Structure formats: structure tokens, C-alpha cells
Amino acid sequence: MAQKDNHKLRIGIVGAGNIVRTRHLPALKKNSDAEIVAVSNSTYESSEQFCKEHCPGATPMANWADLLAVPDLDIIWIGTPPYMHSAVTISALEAGKHVFCQARMAMDLAEAEEMLATTKRFPELVTMLCPPPFGMRADLLVKKLLADMLNVLCVFENGAEGVLEFSGVHAGAPNDRLRIFGERGALLYDFTNERVRSVKYGGREMEDLDVPKELITEWRVEDDFINAVKSKGRVRPRPNFEDGVRYMRVVQAVADSRAANEWVAIKK
């Protein structure tokens, strides 16, 4: 879609639930290059209430398909549950709109692949999936440290080969966290309080690890997407639909494995 100089990017929101209100709306309202002009929630009444409370200048709409027909709309911001993501995304792209979509990308791998295929039909349009709202501050640090660590490959006495991976999921767990064990030590990243701790091999207790300023990342998803749209294709934000399809391959494999009660290979 061609954009005029000094033209505010006009946004239509489809699905104005809690994630949109609490996570995206504050940043979008602060962005001088963005303007929310239309909102379609689950009912017209809820759309009207959202506009009244948060975007008085926006037009409430009962039907998301009608929202796509709003003149000069640049961006569709999808905040619906996953069962609507595919239909809204494909329709929006075919209508010439840039798309920001919540994760999970789709209901299944087939829908995700269809969404990705549609983006390739319209390479001039920017698409982005919402990243997780946790674990951003030290993400780059953990990646840097991982580059210096080795995975543990094992050969058991009975001849079986394997890769050791540890995961703890149980009721009453205090926080979401990432634990990494390597031959040189261990790393613990607590997503809830953004605390990173480590211990070297032979050590007894974990110690806090400072995150260098140049490696700290913060939540700026809305600005990243708006800037990518303004760049007219020069910048592509992450995670993109390619990332989303890779994630959906894992989700699909889990579902298939459970149904068949057997191992399922994930194709790249």
C-alpha cells in the first residue's frame, strides 16, 4: 500500500481483548506515526465500549469483514483467539493491509502454512507475530552464553544414543523459568522477575549474573512493527510467519504424537 509523506498509519483492531488493552494499546497510543481508526470486537456493544474508553475517535464495528473495507486502512492488528487468525490474516493481506497477529499463529499447521503462503503472494506487505511478553531483557545474553556452551550427547551402556534435555512442568511451580545445563556450568533465567543466575562447574550456589546494557532488550513490539511498515519493506520484524510455522510444526507434532502414541519427526 502506498503511503503519503507524514501520513499516519491507520490501524484497524480486530479483537480488542485484554492483551490488546494492556499490552499493545499503551504503546500504539504513544506512537506518533500510528492512529487507531476502527475496532471490531466480539460484539458491536463491546467494540463501542472499547472505543468509548480507549479510542474515542475510532469507529466501532460489528463485523471484522466490514472493518477491512474502511477507506485508507493501512494495518490490521489481530487480537482474536487463534481460531480466527487464519481467516482474518488472509483476508487482510488480500485487501492490501499489513498484518500484526497474536501468537499462537493458527489452529494447526495447515492453517499456518496457508497464512505463510499468502504472505509470499504479497511480499510488499509486512507481517509479524506477537513475541512472548516475557524473557526479553536477557534474551540476547542467554543466546551469547549458549554460543559458548555444548549440548550433551550421550551413549548409554545398552548402546542407545540420545540428547539429554531437562524440563520441569508441575502444578504449583513458582515462576516460568529456563534452566540450561552444560559441561562448564548451569544457567537459570527466571522470566517472572527477569533474574539471571549462573554457577560454574564445581560451584555450590548460583550467583546473580549482570546483563550488559548492550545486550538488554525491552518490549517495543508495537514500535518495531510500525517502523517496519514505514520502511516499505527494508525492515522485516521478528518473529515473522516463517517463525510461526516452525512453532506450529512443533505444536502439530505434539498433537500427532499424543494421538498416535508414538514418536513423530519434525521436518525442517
Side-chain angles (χ1 to χ4, degrees), residues 131-132 134-151 178 180 184 187 189 191 196 209 211-212 214-217 238-239 243 246:
F134 49 79
M136 298 191 73
R137 181 174 184 272
D139 181 65
L140 293 179
L141 172 65
V142 172
K143 289 180 179 178
K144 181 178 183 299
L145 292 173
L146 278 176
D148 297 328
M149 298 177 68
L150 296 176
N151 291 327
L178 170 67
I180 302 170
R184 295 169 57 186
L187 189 72
Y189 186 4
F191 296 133
V196 183
L209 188 65
V211 183
E214 66 272 16
L215 295 180
I216 293 178
T217 51
R238 302 288 296 270
D243 300 320
R246 284 192 287 269

Side-chain angles (χ1 to χ4, degrees), residues 131-219:
F134 49 79
M136 298 191 73
R137 181 174 184 272
D139 181 65
L140 293 179
L141 172 65
V142 172
K143 289 180 179 178
K144 181 178 183 299
L145 292 173
L146 278 176
D148 297 328
M149 298 177 68
L150 296 176
N151 291 327
V152 181
L153 304 180
C154 302
V155 178
F156 295 93
E157 290 182 357
N158 62 3
E161 298 180 359
V163 178
L164 292 182
E165 297 180 352
F166 298 87
S167 175
V169 180
H170 59 88
N175 295 322
D176 291 326
R177 59 185 61 184
L178 170 67
R179 290 180 180 270
I180 302 170
F181 301 90
E183 64 176 11
R184 295 169 57 186
L187 189 72
L188 171 63
Y189 186 4
D190 191 319
F191 296 133
T192 303
N193 57 32
E194 294 288 2
R195 185 182 183 189
V196 183
R197 289 183 291 164
S198 66
V199 61
K200 293 183 178 180
Y201 179 77
R204 300 183 64 85
E205 295 184 3
M206 284 193 160
E207 299 179 353
D208 285 329
L209 188 65
D210 291 331
V211 183
K213 290 183 178 180
E214 66 272 16
L215 295 180
I216 293 178
T217 51
E218 302 289 350
W219 180 274

Side-chain angles (χ1 to χ4, degrees), residues 85-95 111 114-115 118 121:
H85 289 179
S86 178
V88 179
T89 293
I90 292 172
S91 297
L93 290 171
E94 291 179 340
E111 285 188 356
E114 185 178 7
M115 292 165 69
T118 306
R121 289 167 48 204

Side-chain angles (χ1 to χ4, degrees), residues 30-189:
K30 289 179 182 178
N31 194 306
S32 60
D33 293 315
E35 178 184 13
I36 299 171
V37 299
V39 176
S40 174
N41 207 16
S42 55
T43 65
Y44 178 80
E45 290 74 19
S46 62
S47 302
E48 187 176 42
Q49 186 64 28
F50 181 90
C51 292
K52 181 180 179 180
E53 293 181 4
H54 305 288
C55 309
T59 301
M61 308 192 74
N63 192 310
W64 64 265
D66 294 335
L67 182 144
L68 295 185
V70 173
D72 299 324
L73 203 62
D74 299 295
I75 293 169
I76 300 300
W77 201 279
I78 303 175
T80 68
Y83 75 90
M84 293 181 64
H85 289 179
S86 178
V88 179
T89 293
I90 292 172
S91 297
L93 290 171
E94 291 179 340
K97 318 299 183 186
H98 304 286
V99 174
F100 181 93
C101 182
Q102 288 299 311
R104 189 179 66 208
M105 184 175 179
M107 288 298 288
D108 54 36
L109 179 58
E111 285 188 356
E113 289 179 333
E114 185 178 7
M115 292 165 69
L116 176 60
T118 306
T119 68
K120 294 181 177 180
R121 289 167 48 204
F122 303 98
E124 74 281 5
L125 297 176
V126 176
T127 53
M128 181 180 179
L129 291 172
C130 184
F134 49 79
M136 298 191 73
R137 181 174 184 272
D139 181 65
L140 293 179
L141 172 65
V142 172
K143 289 180 179 178
K144 181 178 183 299
L145 292 173
L146 278 176
D148 297 328
M149 298 177 68
L150 296 176
N151 291 327
V152 181
L153 304 180
C154 302
V155 178
F156 295 93
E157 290 182 357
N158 62 3
E161 298 180 359
V163 178
L164 292 182
E165 297 180 352
F166 298 87
S167 175
V169 180
H170 59 88
N175 295 322
D176 291 326
R177 59 185 61 184
L178 170 67
R179 290 180 180 270
I180 302 170
F181 301 90
E183 64 176 11
R184 295 169 57 186
L187 189 72
L188 171 63
Y189 186 4

